[in-house]
């Protein structure tokens, strides 16, 4: 068993041998040796660029479905590596980042950069209640919920920035 920062070769094989593991590690972006959460958030922008051309209701549906699939995938992957919220599990960053970028759907390009930065800020800082959920929820739900809340915080701030005065 390893800690939440490293993966043994056996854990990496276990993680990448299932569709749940591939999804949970953000199609490999969570395997970055440094700052996997940041790499996961960056990787999330690629599919978001396609999603941004869809309507708001479709984006919300993708986020909700992605959340529930993520709860399952992160639970399976966490058990496979033996660490509940291993740092390589970054599907939560995908969903949180997509939530953070909701106000940027019809905004200029710089809103994506600001939304990315805000999401990373709230995800790392973990102000209340994000920190409480991060510490008290376990399994796939625990992996996902704190990033959803960080995404909501970031979206609210981004919306306030983009809102006409």
């Amino acid at each position: 068993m390893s800690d939440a920062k490293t993966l043994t070769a056996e854990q990496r094989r276990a993680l990448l041998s299932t569709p749940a593991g591939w999804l949970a590690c953000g199609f490999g972006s969570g395997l970055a040796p440094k700052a996997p959460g940041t790499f996961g958030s960056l990787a999330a922008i690629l599919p978001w660029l396609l999603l941004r051309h869809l309507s708001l209701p479709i984006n919300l549906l993708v986020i909700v479905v992605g959340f529930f699939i993520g709860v399952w995938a992160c639970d399976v992957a966490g058990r496979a590596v033996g660490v509940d919220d291993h740092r390589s599990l970054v599907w939560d960053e995908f969903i949180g980042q997509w939530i953070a970028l909701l106000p940027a759907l019809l905004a200029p390009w710089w809103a994506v950069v600001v939304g990315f930065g805000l999401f990373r800020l709230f995800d790392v800082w973990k102000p209340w209640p994000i920190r409480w959920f991060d510490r008290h929820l376990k399994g796939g739900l625990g992996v996902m919920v704190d990033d959803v809340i960080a995404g909501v915080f970031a979206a609210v701030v981004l919306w306030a920035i983009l809102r006409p005065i």
Side-chain angles (χ1 to χ4, degrees):
M1 172 115 55
S2 75
D3 59 33
K5 294 190 181 232
T6 59
L7 283 175
T8 65
E10 183 178 322
Q11 288 172 314
R12 187 179 293 259
R13 276 191 300 280
L15 186 62
L16 298 178
S17 67
T18 67
W22 269 103
L23 184 71
C25 75
F27 310 105
S29 61
L31 301 176
K34 302 266 189 212
T38 299
F39 279 97
S41 295
L42 280 170
I45 292 173
L46 295 174
W48 179 84
L49 291 172
L50 298 173
L51 292 172
R52 83 178 296 184
H53 298 292
L54 303 174
S55 68
L56 178 60
I58 298 296
N59 268 274
L60 292 172
L61 179 64
V62 167
I63 289 168
V64 169
V65 170
F67 171 81
F68 286 109
I69 291 172
V71 169
W72 164 77
C74 290
D75 192 59
V76 169
R79 282 188 273 119
V81 298
V83 179
D84 216 25
D85 191 358
H86 194 277
R87 65 187 272 173
S88 65
L89 308 181
V90 296
W91 183 251
D92 54 330
E93 266 78 18
F94 276 64
I95 299 301
Q97 187 66 71
W98 293 349
I99 293 168
L101 293 177
L102 283 171
L105 288 173
L106 300 173
W109 67 268
W110 57 264
V112 177
V113 175
V114 173
F116 170 81
L118 287 168
F119 174 68
R120 293 308 303 145
L121 172 72
F122 286 114
D123 188 31
V124 171
W125 177 28
K126 295 193 187 314
W128 186 91
I130 300 168
R131 185 177 310 274
W132 187 91
F133 283 102
D134 184 54
R135 290 183 177 166
H136 291 88
L137 290 180
K138 301 297 175 205
L141 185 64
V143 173
M144 297 295 296
V145 166
D146 64 306
D147 285 66
V148 165
I149 300 169
V152 170
F153 279 32
V156 168
V157 173
L158 182 59
W159 176 82
I161 291 168
L162 293 172
R163 191 181 92 166
I165 299 176

